[in-house]
């Protein structure tokens, strides 16, 4: 009679846990992708741990505190580590609602991931959205970062203004000396007309070039 009981339970479980069955969830693990050479084999012990973590999660849900490991059923386990699971209610021989299971998994997603050294990308519950990780607070307060940026901008602006002023002063100092040099060159220039060197009119000293004086001008000076 005992073997008949187990046979009946196995048949019931087979009906409850099937791909795409009501309240069933598919799980896919990428152990080698996540751990590389440190990857472990998926065996009966790992399956037991998974059932224990799901049962632990369900016990956090109100009115599901009596959930046991045996209430979690796995089926269609593949070598590439994917399978389906359901959570049953033995008292009524049916599976628990999908929304309750989903809520329990999401609340304890990090605990489940850590149990297998995986994350949301390498331990996938295909019908259960990933739980967003809490935002990480920066080690430096935001206002200090903003103040630092503004301070740097002010320093750069002041530096540019100072350099611009220095350049303008240098240009102003160079302009008078260049004008003086030009005037000196003009004063010292000697023109040659018809092969005769002629001194230009000295506007500063009032000197007149004798070459360009007329006969009357020479007599008048006498």
């Amino acid at each position: 009679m005992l073997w008949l009981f187990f046979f009946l339970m196995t048949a019931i479980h087979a009906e409850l846990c099937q791909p795409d069955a009501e309240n069933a969830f598919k799980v896919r693990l990428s152990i080698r992708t996540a751990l590389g050479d440190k990857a472990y084999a998926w065996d009966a012990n790992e399956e037991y741990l998974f059932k224990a973590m799901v049962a632990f999660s369900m016990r956090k849900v109100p009115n599901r505190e009596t959930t046991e490991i045996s209430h979690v059923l796995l089926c269609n386990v593949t070598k590439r580590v994917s399978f389906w699971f359901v959570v049953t209610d033995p008292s009524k021989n049916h599976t628990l609602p999908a929304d309750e299971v989903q809520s329990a998994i999401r609340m304890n997603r990090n605990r489940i991931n850590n149990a297998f050294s995986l994350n949301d990308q390498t331990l996938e519950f295909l019908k259960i959205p990933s739980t967003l990780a809490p935002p990480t607070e920066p080690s430096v307060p935001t206002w200090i970062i903003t103040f630092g940026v503004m301070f740097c901008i002010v320093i750069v602006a002041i530096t540019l203004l100072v350099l611009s002023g220095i350049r303008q002063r240098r240009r102003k100092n160079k302009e008078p000396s260049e004008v003086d040099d030009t005037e000196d060159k003009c004063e010292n220039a000697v023109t040659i007309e018809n092969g005769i060197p002629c001194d230009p009119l000295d506007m500063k000293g009032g000197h007149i070039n004798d070459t360009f004086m007329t006969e009357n001008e020479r007599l008048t000076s006498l």
Side-chain angles (χ1 to χ4, degrees):
M1 295 295 294
L2 186 61
W3 66 268
L4 181 59
F5 172 78
F6 282 113
F7 177 79
L8 292 175
M9 291 300 297
T10 301
I12 293 173
H13 289 173
E15 291 180 0
L16 295 176
C17 184
Q18 293 181 2
D20 295 319
E22 184 180 7
N23 303 325
F25 294 91
K26 186 176 182 178
V27 179
R28 183 166 55 207
L29 293 86
S30 303
I31 302 173
R32 185 164 295 280
T33 300
L35 304 178
D37 295 337
K38 296 181 179 180
Y40 51 83
W42 186 262
D43 54 21
N45 294 327
E46 301 297 333
E47 291 182 7
Y48 182 87
L49 178 59
F50 179 84
K51 293 179 181 180
M53 293 306 301
V54 173
F56 164 81
S57 300
M58 292 303 302
R59 292 170 75 94
K60 298 284 187 177
V61 178
N63 301 323
R64 301 300 178 188
E65 295 83 358
T66 59
T67 303
E68 300 292 340
I69 295 176
S70 58
H71 299 166
V72 181
L73 306 180
L74 271 62
C75 59
N76 288 80
V77 181
T78 65
K79 291 183 178 180
R80 301 187 67 175
V81 195
S82 66
F83 53 85
W84 292 76
F85 80 94
V86 294
V87 183
T88 62
D89 183 356
S91 62
K92 299 179 181 179
N93 290 327
H94 66 73
T95 56
L96 296 181
D99 57 344
E100 291 187 15
V101 178
Q102 178 174 325
S103 176
I105 296 298
R106 295 196 66 185
M107 285 191 301
N108 297 276
R109 188 67 180 269
N110 290 335
R111 300 287 296 272
I112 297 173
N113 290 345
N114 293 336
F116 297 97
S117 301
L118 302 175
N119 55 35
D120 289 353
Q121 286 70 45
T122 53
L123 199 168
E124 302 175 83
F125 292 82
L126 301 188
K127 292 184 180 180
I128 302 177
S130 300
T131 305
L132 296 177
T136 56
E137 296 183 359
S139 57
V140 180
T142 305
W143 69 269
I144 292 181
I145 298 175
T146 305
F147 175 78
V149 172
M150 296 300 298
F151 181 78
C152 292
I153 293 174
V154 172
I155 293 297
V156 171
I158 293 174
T159 303
L160 292 176
L161 289 175
V162 171
L163 293 176
S164 177
I166 294 174
R167 289 179 180 177
Q168 290 179 358
R169 288 181 181 178
R170 289 180 178 177
R171 289 177 181 177
K172 289 181 179 179
N173 293 335
K174 286 181 179 181
E175 287 176 359
S177 61
E178 291 176 355
V179 172
D180 293 341
D181 292 343
T182 303
E183 291 179 353
D184 293 340
K185 290 179 181 179
C186 291
E187 292 176 356
N188 297 328
V190 177
T191 60
I192 299 176
E193 293 185 2
N194 297 326
I196 301 173
C198 302
D199 293 332
L201 179 64
D202 186 357
M203 300 302 293
K204 293 182 179 179
H207 176 71
I208 299 176
N209 193 339
D210 294 338
T211 306
F212 296 97
M213 292 178 64
T214 63
E215 187 68 23
N216 292 332
E217 288 176 343
R218 291 194 184 95
L219 292 175
T220 300
S221 61
L222 294 174

